[in-house]
Amino acid sequence: MINKKTVLATIIALLIIFVPLTIASYFLKEKENPFDKNPGHDFYYKEMLWFYDGNDLINTYHCNTTSCDYAEYVIDDEDINYYKDGNLKKSEVINNNYVFIKDGALTNLYSLDYGKVLQSYKQVKTYNTNIFDNIYILQNQDDLWGAISVSENINSILPFEYSFVGLKDNINEDGSLNADMFIVSKNNKWYLVSKDNEKKSSEFDSKIVDFNDKLIVTKGSSYHIYNYDKNEYLIDYNISDYKLVKDYLLIISNNMLYIYKDISNGYLKSYNVSSGKLNTEVENNKIIIKIGENVIDTLDV
């Protein structure tokens, strides 16, 4: 009788020891194991992305592919005068909540607060800098482009109905990229729209590559200069290069540089120039005009 009691007590004691160990071992095998840790605080670890605030884990993202990381930004603005000095190549956490994650072929907008994917896209474009009002230009799964603003909430800026959406090189005083006016293309027509998606110009058959508050520059086999109502200027010129700087328009045609301030009143100056790229710099309220590295003229802003 004593032996039976001893054996029973031993069995109970072993069960008390091994049953919890068995349960713990089961959980340790699961990807969503609540007891598992990331001792090195690696960003990618055990098929997950780990997001920390200091040493505190905010949330994780479960990767569906081995190609899983912060989304890299793209630029598809060939010929357009876009901002080229950005150095933010990948997404970062936005407002301590949102992040764009590249997972295989998908670019997911992920909420750390809710631990879920809010929307999936193909590509995201920011010109590698901060666009005003946290705007992001995105391509959806139907290859159409639009734009959203990511702040406390997600707000639509432009609907996903365009074959192209872009911004010109125009930096605000706070260092953000100005987004008051977008270059868009739809049904093989190019035009300008405001951030409220209101059409602001006529439609053009050729690509819009630049603009200011009065003029629009398009490019086909050569450059063409228009106003917003599609009235063309300088029709007799074969424009091979141009610059819109502040209130000035500079063009090169047949090795001649022409400088305009009021295009309706003729050019201010002209120069015979050799071949080379037209460049401008703005320093100390002066516009420095160069062909290659050779200074041609200096204008007051």
Side-chain angles (χ1 to χ4, degrees):
M1 195 67 183
I2 294 174
N3 290 338
K4 289 182 178 180
K5 289 181 177 180
T6 302
V7 170
L8 180 60
T10 301
I11 291 172
I12 292 172
L14 291 173
L15 287 173
I16 292 172
I17 294 171
F18 286 107
V19 167
L21 290 176
T22 301
I23 294 172
S25 176
Y26 171 79
F27 280 113
L28 286 170
K29 293 179 181 179
E30 298 298 310
K31 290 181 181 179
E32 298 185 8
N33 168 29
F35 307 115
D36 202 359
K37 303 295 180 182
N38 180 358
H41 286 189
D42 298 315
F43 181 54
Y44 180 85
Y45 183 70
K46 291 192 173 180
E47 300 179 5
M48 293 191 293
L49 302 182
W50 300 67
F51 296 90
Y52 289 91
D53 181 8
N55 290 320
D56 297 326
L57 180 64
I58 303 172
N59 215 326
T60 58
Y61 170 86
H62 293 269
C63 298
N64 296 307
T65 70
T66 56
S67 177
C68 188
D69 199 350
Y70 286 114
E72 292 187 4
Y73 300 133
V74 301
I75 299 176
D76 63 338
D77 297 45
E78 184 180 359
D79 297 323
I80 290 173
N81 178 29
Y82 67 87
Y83 181 67
K84 301 176 179 65
D85 295 328
N87 55 18
L88 303 177
K89 304 293 186 181
K90 288 186 177 183
S91 176
E92 299 176 337
V93 177
I94 309 161
N95 292 328
N96 299 314
N97 182 7
Y98 305 104
V99 60
F100 288 101
I101 296 172
K102 184 71 170 178
D103 193 355
L106 298 177
T107 297
N108 295 322
L109 177 56
Y110 186 72
S111 169
L112 296 175
D113 286 352
Y114 294 104
K116 63 183 293 186
V117 173
L118 303 180
Q119 188 58 267
S120 295
Y121 305 96
K122 278 192 173 181
Q123 300 186 99
V124 54
K125 178 167 65 174
T126 67
Y127 300 95
N128 302 329
T129 191
N130 295 312
I131 302 177
F132 182 76
D133 203 23
N134 278 345
I135 289 175
Y136 293 83
I137 300 170
L138 297 154
Q139 184 186 40
N140 69 12
Q141 300 304 307
D142 296 321
D143 294 330
L144 296 175
W145 290 86
I148 64 173
S149 174
V150 182
S151 51
E152 291 185 7
N153 300 305
I154 309 298
N155 298 305
S156 175
I157 301 298
L158 298 183
F160 288 85
E161 61 184 27
Y162 299 107
S163 56
F164 176 87
V165 172
L167 291 169
K168 66 164 289 183
D169 182 0
N170 184 13
I171 298 298
N172 297 316
E173 290 184 0
D174 65 0
S176 65
L177 186 61
N178 186 285
D180 289 341
M181 196 85 76
F182 292 84
I183 300 171
V184 300
S185 178
K186 182 179 179 180
N187 298 326
N188 296 317
K189 300 292 184 181
W190 292 79
Y191 51 98
L192 303 178
V193 298
S194 69
K195 60 183 178 182
D196 298 318
N197 200 39
E198 181 181 352
K199 185 181 288 189
K200 291 296 185 179
S201 76
S202 298
E203 296 181 352
F204 296 85
D205 295 325
S206 298
K207 180 188 295 186
I208 294 176
V209 296
D210 208 347
F211 62 91
N212 60 18
D213 59 350
K214 296 179 181 178
L215 301 176
I216 291 174
V217 182
T218 70
K219 185 179 181 183
S221 57
S222 62
Y223 294 101
H224 296 265
I225 313 298
Y226 298 88
N227 65 13
Y228 278 50
D229 294 322
K230 206 176 179 180
N231 296 313
E232 187 173 3
Y233 299 103
L234 311 179
I235 296 174
D236 295 330
Y237 290 83
N238 180 24
I239 303 172
S240 58
D241 205 354
Y242 84 97
K243 289 290 180 183
L244 278 178
V245 188
K246 304 297 183 181
D247 294 330
Y248 293 94
L249 167 67
L250 289 66
I251 67 165
I252 291 181
S253 176
N254 298 323
N255 293 326
M256 290 293 295
L257 168 65
Y258 300 94
I259 301 172
Y260 294 85
K261 191 166 188 180
D262 182 353
I263 197 168
S264 61
N265 288 330
Y267 57 83
L268 295 176
K269 299 178 181 180
S270 66
Y271 296 92
N272 196 326
V273 296
S274 59
S275 60
K277 182 69 176 175
L278 175 61
N279 295 304
T280 58
E281 299 174 3
V282 179
E283 295 181 0
N284 301 320
N285 292 321
K286 299 287 187 180
I287 301 172
I288 303 170
I289 304 171
K290 296 180 178 181
I291 297 295
E293 295 301 320
N294 298 318
V295 175
I296 302 300
D297 199 351
T298 302
L299 305 173
D300 292 326
V301 172

